[in-house]
């Protein structure tokens, strides 16, 4: 049996890889992806602000499109993007664009320029002195002092995590590639090719980290770790492909077109490190701007509360009720409970929710109609008062969540027990002097638990799924509503994070089911 479960555990990561890879591929090719949605949002915003039709509004800028592709790893090949998301290969992190244009100081764009779910380019002017050294046809170097933006995670006074930008002084150096032409000269406004390197200023970075640590109350160990991550790890710089600048329109119809302006130099600056789900990083939510893991954890208490109570009620009520129905087969009690169970099973959960809300919340006013807790409840209320309020808010949603599984589990228990009661070993036990009660509870009941034990592990996955419609009707902010909103809003990092966690729980639940079956029925020996 030990070898069997070891094989099951070894197959678990392979199965999880297959599930996540298929989901990752679907997010790449599904119609109406994040780029189309961001373009539609920008068109609608432009139509409202300028009073023009959405079809005539501007498209995404190259920087906005690049940042959006990076966020969803659409700028990477399919397999490379998946392996980097998985954390099995070093991925570019802390990415930002440094733009050097027309003798101006560089503009540094941060890694997460997201405001209210829409992408925008936010940046600031680099500080310091710059110099350009001409070196003939094949030489020449550019050196600029820039400010790098390092996105660091800090904790608030309440323990929540948030991202803050740490600005590091650095030096950006570019060496002209051999045979590259001059910017704007003889190439129709083309961009020179440079080999770039960037190096943070150690002294300035140390001062910046010290000021950042003082502002956010970091310990000395946390400050040292932040300095090592920001300035100790190597930064990489590469020049982006930039289209030639458009020609300047002529001042009059008879005048010749003006020479095109020099196209800007755009340098991509980033670090590389293992940063994926294997390292506990599920990415950042596009809609909320928070780490995916924090978003899931914030919704988890509600889902665990309802999932735990559903598990307790389903097995705590259905198993005794199934035994009672088997022992009172074809009696009025059996018939009445069957009518109630199949009525709840036939009604969809959201229809039952509407009926219960109308009767018990609005007409009789016995239970609250929405929410997970009373907002007017004092913070220093007694624990029993808080528990009673929580149970009142739980009763109606919980009844809707468990109405379907009640009938399934009860009838499974009843029919399995009836089959076992009709077998010869039960009649033989009674004929040898065993009481009927002991024959049922000590022999037939244990054998009847085998079909129920096979589905016990599936309840683990149900703890992290929830029900969107039930949560929407009762205004409960749980996992089900989070999964639906992330799918509709194309928040793929949250969707993939939920899928990974729920798939892992489901696979672990299948192994738990095998353990339960082996514990209930000693005749079963896996692997033999």
């Amino acid at each position: 049996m030990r070898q069997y479960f070891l094989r099951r555990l070894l197959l678990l990561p392979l199965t999880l890889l297959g599930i996540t890879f298929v989901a990752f591929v679907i997010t790449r090719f599904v119609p109406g992806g994040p780029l189309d949605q961001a373009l539609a949002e920008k068109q609608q915003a432009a139509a409202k602000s300028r009073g023009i039709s959405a079809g005539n509004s501007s498209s995404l800028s190259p920087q906005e499109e690049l940042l959006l592709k990076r966020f969803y790893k659409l700028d990477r090949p399919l397999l490379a993007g998946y392996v980097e998301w998985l954390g099995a290969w070093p991925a570019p992190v802390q990415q930002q664009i440094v733009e050097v244009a027309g003798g101006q100081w560089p503009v540094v764009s941060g890694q997460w320029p997201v405001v209210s779910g829409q992408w925008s380019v936010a940046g600031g002017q680099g500080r310091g002195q710059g110099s350009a050294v001409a070196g003939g046809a094949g030489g020449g170097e550019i050196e600029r002092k820039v400010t790098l933006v390092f996105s660091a995670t800090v904790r608030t006074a309440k323990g929540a995590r948030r991202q803050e930008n740490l600005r590091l002084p650095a030096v950006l150096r570019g060496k002209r590639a051999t045979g590259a032409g001059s910017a704007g000269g003889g190439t129709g406004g083309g961009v020179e090719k440079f080999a770039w390197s960037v190096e943070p200023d150690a002294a300035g970075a140390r001062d910046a980290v010290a000021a950042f640590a003082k502002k956010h109350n970091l310990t000395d160990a946390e400050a040292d770790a932040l300095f090592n991550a920001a300035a100790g790890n190597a930064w990489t710089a590469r020049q982006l492909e930039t289209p030639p600048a458009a020609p300047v329109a002529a001042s009059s119809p008879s005048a010749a077109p003006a020479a095109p302006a020099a196209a800007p130099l755009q340098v991509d600056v980033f670090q590389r490190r293992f940063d994926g789900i294997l390292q506990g990083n599920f990415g950042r939510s596009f809609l909320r701007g928070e780490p995916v893991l924090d978003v899931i954890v914030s919704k988890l208490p509600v889902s665990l509360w309802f999932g735990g109570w559903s598990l307790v009620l389903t097995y705590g009520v259905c198993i005794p009720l199934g035994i009672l129905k088997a022992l009172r087969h074809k009696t009025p009690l059996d018939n009445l409970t069957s009518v109630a169970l199949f009525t709840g099973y036939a009604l969809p959960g959201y229809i039952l929710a509407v009926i219960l809300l109308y009767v018990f919340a609005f007409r009789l006013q016995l239970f609250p109609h929405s929410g997970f807790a009373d907002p007017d409840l004092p913070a220093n209320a007694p624990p029993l008062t808080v528990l009673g309020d929580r149970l009142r808010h739980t009763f109606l949603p919980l009844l809707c969540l468990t109405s379907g599984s009640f009938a399934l589990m009860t009838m499974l228990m009843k029919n399995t027990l009836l089959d076992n009661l009709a077998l010869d070993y039960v009649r033989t036990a009674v004929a040898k002097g065993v009481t009927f009660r002991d024959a049922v509870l000590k022999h037939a009941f244990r054998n009847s638990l085998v079909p129920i034990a096979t589905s016990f592990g599936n309840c683990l996955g149900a703890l992290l799924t929830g029900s969107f419609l039930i949560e929407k009707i009762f205004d409960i902010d749980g996992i089900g509503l989070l999964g639906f909103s992330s799918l509709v809003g194309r928040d793929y990092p949250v969707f993939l994070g939920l899928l990974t966690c729920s798939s892992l729980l489901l696979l672990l639940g299948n192994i738990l089911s095998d353990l339960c079956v082996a514990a209930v029925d000693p005749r079963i020996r896996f692997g033999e």
Side-chain angles (χ1 to χ4, degrees):
M1 184 179 295
R2 181 182 302 175
Q3 294 181 355
Y4 171 81
F5 285 107
L6 286 177
R7 288 197 298 267
R8 290 292 303 271
L9 289 174
L10 291 176
L11 288 175
L12 189 147
L14 297 178
T15 308
L16 189 62
L17 284 176
I19 294 173
T20 54
F21 181 73
V22 171
F24 190 86
V25 172
I26 291 175
T27 59
R28 282 293 190 97
F29 299 105
V30 67
L35 289 178
D36 297 336
Q37 191 177 40
L39 179 59
E41 290 177 357
K42 186 173 183 180
Q43 289 175 344
Q44 292 176 1
K48 291 181 180 179
S49 60
R50 286 183 265 175
I52 60 177
S53 63
N56 297 327
S57 57
S58 58
S59 60
L60 293 174
S61 67
Q63 278 192 342
E64 289 176 325
E65 185 175 352
L66 177 61
L67 289 171
L68 197 60
K69 284 183 176 180
R70 284 176 176 172
F71 185 79
Y72 287 104
K73 297 188 181 297
L74 296 175
D75 60 330
R76 307 287 293 155
L78 177 61
L79 187 58
Y82 173 73
V83 174
E84 291 176 358
W85 171 80
L86 197 62
W89 189 260
V93 296
Q94 303 295 341
Q95 291 181 300
Q96 46 209 276
I97 300 173
V98 178
E99 185 174 296
V100 186
Q104 298 179 359
W105 298 110
V107 177
V108 180
S109 298
Q111 183 187 11
W112 302 112
V114 53
V115 180
S116 300
Q118 297 183 1
W119 288 88
S120 61
V121 179
Q125 298 292 334
R127 295 187 293 274
Q129 300 297 322
S131 61
V133 182
E141 293 183 357
I142 291 179
E143 181 178 299
R144 301 284 191 186
K145 288 186 178 180
V146 298
T147 302
L148 300 178
V149 179
F150 185 88
S151 181
T153 302
V154 297
R155 290 194 176 273
T156 63
K158 296 182 178 180
R161 297 194 303 174
R162 72 171 187 271
Q163 298 297 122
E164 294 289 344
N165 288 335
L166 169 64
R167 300 187 177 274
L168 301 171
V171 177
L172 179 67
R173 296 183 179 91
K175 185 175 182 180
R176 183 180 297 152
T178 303
S182 301
T187 60
V191 179
E192 291 184 276
K193 300 296 183 182
F194 286 83
W196 295 93
S197 63
V198 63
E199 182 179 352
D201 178 37
R206 179 66 71 179
D207 295 338
V209 170
F212 186 88
K214 182 178 180 181
K215 178 180 179 181
H216 298 286
N217 299 320
L218 301 182
T219 63
D220 293 340
E222 292 173 338
D224 292 339
L226 178 60
F227 176 80
N228 293 332
N233 294 334
W235 289 80
T236 303
R238 63 184 179 188
Q239 185 169 336
L240 297 175
E241 294 292 335
T242 309
V248 181
S251 57
S252 64
S254 59
L265 297 176
Q266 291 186 346
V267 183
D268 187 14
V269 181
F270 58 91
Q271 292 179 324
R272 277 192 177 276
R273 67 168 180 261
F274 292 94
D275 192 42
I277 62 173
L278 295 179
Q279 290 77 34
N281 181 16
F282 288 79
R284 298 183 64 83
S285 170
F286 173 59
L287 296 179
R288 297 166 178 82
E290 302 176 9
V292 171
L293 202 56
D294 289 355
V295 174
I296 295 177
V297 170
S298 65
K299 314 296 183 183
L300 200 56
V302 177
S303 295
L304 287 179
W305 173 267
F306 283 99
W309 277 111
S310 299
L311 183 65
V312 171
L313 288 182
T314 299
Y315 286 92
V317 173
C318 293
I319 292 178
L321 183 58
I323 297 174
L324 183 62
K325 287 174 64 64
L327 298 179
R328 300 290 186 269
H329 184 50
K330 293 184 178 180
T331 63
L333 175 64
D334 180 34
N335 296 331
L336 289 176
T337 53
S338 296
V339 170
L341 289 173
F342 284 110
T343 301
Y345 182 77
L347 284 176
Y350 59 92
I351 297 295
L352 182 61
V354 174
I355 296 175
L356 293 179
L357 276 177
Y358 177 76
V359 175
F360 293 100
F362 295 107
R363 297 288 295 181
L364 302 179
Q365 297 184 356
L366 297 177
F367 297 97
H369 58 81
S370 62
F372 186 55
D374 188 358
D376 298 329
L377 193 68
N380 57 350
L384 291 179
T385 303
V386 175
L387 180 61
D389 175 74
R390 188 65 54 85
L391 292 177
R392 290 182 66 248
H393 284 82
T394 302
F395 181 77
L396 294 182
L398 186 62
L399 192 59
C400 298
L401 286 172
T402 57
S403 60
S405 59
F406 262 39
L408 180 64
M409 195 66 63
T410 303
M411 298 308 296
L412 180 62
M413 184 69 218
K414 173 194 172 182
N415 294 332
T416 308
L417 184 57
L418 285 176
D419 292 339
N420 280 279
L421 290 176
L423 295 179
D424 293 337
Y425 75 91
V426 176
R427 290 195 296 267
T428 302
V430 174
K432 288 184 176 182
V434 178
T435 63
F436 182 74
R437 176 187 176 89
D438 290 341
V440 171
L441 297 180
K442 294 183 179 181
H443 299 280
F445 171 67
R446 184 171 181 177
N447 293 332
S448 302
L449 287 178
V450 174
I452 294 179
T454 57
S455 62
F456 179 76
N458 297 333
C459 298
L460 290 181
L463 295 178
L464 203 63
T465 54
S467 174
F468 156 69
L469 291 174
I470 302 300
E471 293 178 5
K472 187 69 174 177
I473 292 174
F474 288 98
D475 193 20
I476 299 171
D477 194 9
I479 293 292
L481 194 59
L482 174 64
F484 179 81
S485 61
S486 63
L487 191 60
V488 172
R490 301 299 192 271
D491 198 354
Y492 292 146
V494 176
F495 168 72
L496 290 174
L498 286 173
L499 178 67
T500 303
C501 294
S502 59
S503 300
L504 180 60
L505 286 178
L506 183 61
L507 293 174
L508 291 175
N510 290 335
I511 298 178
L512 179 61
S513 296
D514 292 343
L515 289 173
C516 293
V517 170
V520 169
D521 193 346
R523 298 171 300 175
I524 297 178
R525 290 294 180 265
F526 294 103
E528 295 182 4

